Amino acid sequence: MAAEQLGKVARSDAWALEFKDVGKTYQRHTGEKVAVVRDVNLKLEKGGFLCLLGPSGCGKTTLLNLVAGFEGATAGEILVNGKAVKGPGPERGVVFQNDLALFPWLTVEENIAYGLKIKGVPKRERREQALAWMKQVGLEQHGKKYPSELSGGMKQRVQIARVLANDPDILLMDEPFAALDAQTRTHLQLELSSICRQSGKTVLFITHDIQEALLLADRIVVMARAPQENIKADFKVDLPYPRERMNEQFADLYNRLLDEIDNPFKAQTAPQLAIAGKTSGEKD
């Protein structure tokens, strides 16, 4: 299926993120060079919520790491707000899949306020902001607890609140809910969708879960696995929020995305949504 055409944006300053012929190659210990991604051209509008979707090994996380500045591209250029990425920066906030980014010796409140402290925000003001974000993510009763005292879902809420407290222009999220139970995951998906739409943040979200992508994104880019290592399809998701799985539009988009994903076990692991409202059987 050909990539769907998205409406053009007239203003050149409307792009929060641009990939221009971006490639990333690694060299193995044998000297062999392996391309992880190649010739990626992509633009993300300010305030957009884009999901990179695809199977393991297709280069999704590599692209996110390049945007975050954790790694450098070996070809092409990445622009954030029109400026080339040269390394990590405060305009980009990263939410990781695990909770290793939290400081175990700091409380919930202190973790959320940490970036504000580094910026030199006065103690009273950063405490007020930390409390506001704790309330936003439902942690107002847990501010004095340490990460070891929290559930997995609560730790992810702390990560999200800490990133949002720093007020970055772009949120970079690498499968942040993958390790959570289904009920907690669904709750945080809805919570994240609401927060991002209210704040107007630009989001680049990595997932291999089709339903998660459809619940969150206004645009979904499907990545192809090797040897293409590139963008295979580009979908606009024109569904109202909050989104429901039990309708024909959702099922139709799910099935079209499923057809695009390179998965040799697709027939066994992810049957199509034949009836709206039925679960898909998709495996994470």
Side-chain angles (χ1 to χ4, degrees), residues 49-81:
F49 196 127
L50 186 147
C51 275
L52 286 179
L53 178 69
S56 297
C58 69
K60 305 185 301 295
T61 296
T62 296
L63 285 181
L64 185 140
N65 286 337
L66 295 178
V67 177
F70 299 151
E71 302 179 46
T74 50
E77 186 177 39
I78 298 173
L79 304 178
V80 171
N81 295 328

Side-chain angles (χ1 to χ4, degrees), residues 63-73 78 80-81 83-94 96 119 166 168-170 172:
L63 285 181
L64 185 140
N65 286 337
L66 295 178
V67 177
F70 299 151
E71 302 179 46
I78 298 173
V80 171
N81 295 328
K83 297 180 180 180
V85 171
K86 301 297 184 182
E91 74 282 357
R92 287 155 285 153
V94 184
F96 299 95
K119 290 180 179 179
N166 291 327
D169 296 328
I170 301 177
L172 306 174

Side-chain angles (χ1 to χ4, degrees), residues 272-284:
Q272 290 197 338
L273 287 174
I275 302 174
K278 296 289 185 180
T279 56
S280 67
E282 177 185 326
K283 304 293 185 183
D284 286 347

Side-chain angles (χ1 to χ4, degrees), residues 102-277:
L102 297 180
F103 299 121
W105 60 88
L106 298 181
T107 64
V108 167
E109 181 182 324
E110 290 167 341
N111 262 286
I112 293 172
Y114 181 78
L116 301 174
K117 182 177 181 180
I118 296 300
K119 290 180 179 179
V121 176
K123 183 176 182 179
R124 181 175 178 177
E125 183 180 344
R126 64 176 184 258
R127 186 169 192 274
E128 289 175 352
Q129 290 192 41
L131 291 173
W133 281 112
M134 282 191 290
K135 184 176 181 180
Q136 182 73 39
V137 299
L139 292 174
E140 63 268 35
Q141 303 300 319
H142 305 279
K144 301 305 179 184
K145 292 182 179 179
Y146 291 90
S148 61
E149 301 176 89
L150 306 177
S151 67
M154 292 167 74
K155 291 176 184 177
Q156 289 305 86
R157 294 186 198 188
V158 176
Q159 275 211 76
I160 293 169
R162 184 172 68 178
V163 168
L164 289 170
N166 291 327
D167 196 27
D169 296 328
I170 301 177
L171 298 180
L172 306 174
M173 312 188 80
D174 188 6
E175 300 195 66
F177 310 137
L180 304 179
D181 63 87
Q183 184 176 1
T184 302
R185 184 174 187 170
T186 298
H187 178 75
L188 288 182
Q189 286 168 344
L190 294 172
E191 203 167 68
L192 174 66
S193 176
S194 176
I195 290 172
C196 290
R197 284 185 287 112
Q198 290 176 21
S199 66
K201 295 294 183 186
T202 304
V203 183
L204 180 64
F205 190 102
I206 305 297
T207 186
H208 62 270
D209 185 321
I210 299 175
Q211 291 199 35
E212 180 167 71
L214 285 172
L215 286 170
L216 294 173
D218 52 48
R219 184 177 165 200
I220 299 172
V221 166
V222 179
M223 300 288 295
R225 68 166 70 242
Q228 288 82 16
E229 303 101 5
N230 203 326
I231 294 171
K232 186 177 182 182
D234 196 334
F235 288 83
K236 184 175 182 180
V237 185
D238 190 16
L239 298 174
Y241 292 99
R243 291 176 177 167
E244 299 288 343
R245 295 178 176 88
M246 299 176 66
N247 63 62
E248 293 182 6
Q249 284 180 296
F250 190 100
D252 177 62
L253 277 171
Y254 178 97
N255 292 333
R256 291 163 67 190
L257 286 163
L258 181 62
D259 287 339
E260 291 291 348
I261 294 176
D262 299 320
N263 181 0
F265 307 107
K266 181 164 55 182
Q268 292 86 1
T269 61
Q272 290 197 338
L273 287 174
I275 302 174

